């Protein structure tokens, strides 16, 4: 073979190799994006399952009743709390235990912060306002390190002002309204 012919084959081979690399790179990007989307979908599914299980657990521990008891709790110190009926104190403990479990899932990154806050922000706020710090201090005297995740989460929640919370809710409501409006328009067709 002559040298120009060899050179031509070499150039063609390089062009083919370059095109192959570009195609391979493109396929890798597509595969990477597909994996990311699959991972996001899997994470959303996991969070949905977690929330469904938490809803069942909340029902089992009568979370709503516990939140109501805390909201109406006449006690504002440990000695007064001890005068509350044993049944009500147990319901309050179960409520805080549930919130502690949710906070533990968040802090161990098994549940997304925002996902948890969308459901539990107000209960954390109420419990933090009504029970912190005296109730947690009283429990710690009996059981050190019990409910520390709930107490920590309440600290975060209480650090958010009412105005910041209202602003977030207003923005979120507006976004949800836009999303639902689009769905209604599609369904009307």
């Amino acid at each position: 073979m002559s040298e120009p012919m060899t050179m031509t084959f070499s150039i063609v081979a390089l062009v083919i190799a370059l095109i192959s690399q570009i195609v391979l790179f493109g396929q890798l990007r597509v595969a990477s994006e597909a994996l990311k989307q699959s991972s996001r979908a899997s994470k959303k599914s996991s969070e949905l399952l977690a929330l469904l299980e938490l809803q069942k657990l909340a029902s089992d521990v009568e979370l709503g009743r516990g939140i109501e008891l805390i909201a109406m709790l006449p006690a504002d110190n440990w000695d007064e709390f001890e005068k509350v009926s044993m049944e009500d104190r147990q319901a309050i403990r179960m409520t805080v235990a549930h919130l502690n479990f949710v906070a533990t899932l968040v802090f161990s990154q098994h549940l997304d912060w925002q996902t948890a806050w969308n459901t539990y922000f107000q209960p954390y706020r109420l419990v933090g306002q009504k029970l912190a710090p005296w109730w947690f201090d009283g429990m710690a005297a009996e059981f050190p390190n019990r409910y520390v995740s709930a107490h920590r989460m309440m600290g975060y929640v209480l650090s958010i002002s009412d105005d910041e919370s209202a602003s977030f809710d207003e923005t979120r409501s507006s976004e949800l309204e836009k999303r639902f409006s689009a769905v209604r328009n599609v369904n009307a067709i």
Side-chain angles (χ1 to χ4, degrees):
M1 252 200 238
S2 67
E3 191 170 308
M5 189 96 115
T6 306
M7 178 76 83
T8 304
F9 283 134
S10 295
I11 291 173
V12 169
L14 282 172
V15 168
I16 291 172
L18 181 61
I19 290 171
S20 297
Q21 290 298 314
I22 291 170
V23 169
L24 178 62
F25 178 72
Q27 289 174 337
L28 288 173
R29 283 188 58 195
V30 168
S32 172
E33 189 58 35
L35 283 173
K36 286 178 188 175
Q37 288 178 356
S38 175
S39 175
R40 282 190 290 265
S42 176
K43 183 176 184 202
K44 286 291 182 190
S45 294
S46 295
E47 285 182 357
L48 177 59
L49 289 173
L51 284 174
L52 290 171
E53 287 299 317
L54 286 172
Q55 179 61 37
K56 182 182 178 319
L57 182 60
S59 176
D60 291 347
V61 300
E62 298 181 2
L63 183 69
R65 178 176 177 269
I67 294 295
E68 286 177 19
L69 286 170
I70 292 167
M72 298 182 302
L73 189 66
D76 63 0
N77 64 59
W78 188 256
D79 291 333
E80 287 178 26
F81 177 72
E82 297 234 304
K83 295 175 186 170
V84 172
S85 76
M86 179 62 86
E87 179 184 341
D88 288 352
R89 283 186 294 168
Q90 182 61 24
I92 290 168
R93 283 189 184 107
M94 293 299 291
T95 298
V96 176
H98 180 78
L99 295 174
N100 189 70
F101 179 65
V102 172
T104 300
L105 290 175
V106 169
F107 294 140
S108 61
Q109 298 180 347
H110 294 293
L111 185 62
D112 178 68
W113 277 81
Q114 193 58 55
T115 301
W117 278 22
N118 288 345
T119 304
Y120 292 100
F121 186 86
Q122 291 304 327
Y124 280 119
R125 190 176 209 64
L126 173 71
V127 172
Q129 290 169 338
K130 292 290 284 188
L131 300 181
W134 64 269
W135 187 87
F136 290 96
D137 292 343
M139 287 304 294
E142 270 185 72
F143 308 100
N145 298 320
R146 185 174 281 188
Y147 311 126
V148 293
S149 293
H151 195 209
R152 180 176 161 202
M153 182 66 82
M154 286 167 208
Y156 290 127
V157 168
L158 291 174
S159 73
I160 296 171
S161 73
D162 289 338
D163 289 341
E164 290 171 315
S165 178
S167 174
F168 177 83
D169 288 344
E170 191 174 296
T171 302
R172 188 159 180 260
S173 276
S174 175
E175 291 170 3
L176 288 173
E177 181 58 37
K178 287 177 190 173
R179 197 177 311 161
F180 290 134
S181 176
V183 169
R184 278 193 298 260
N185 292 339
V186 168
N187 288 337
I189 295 174

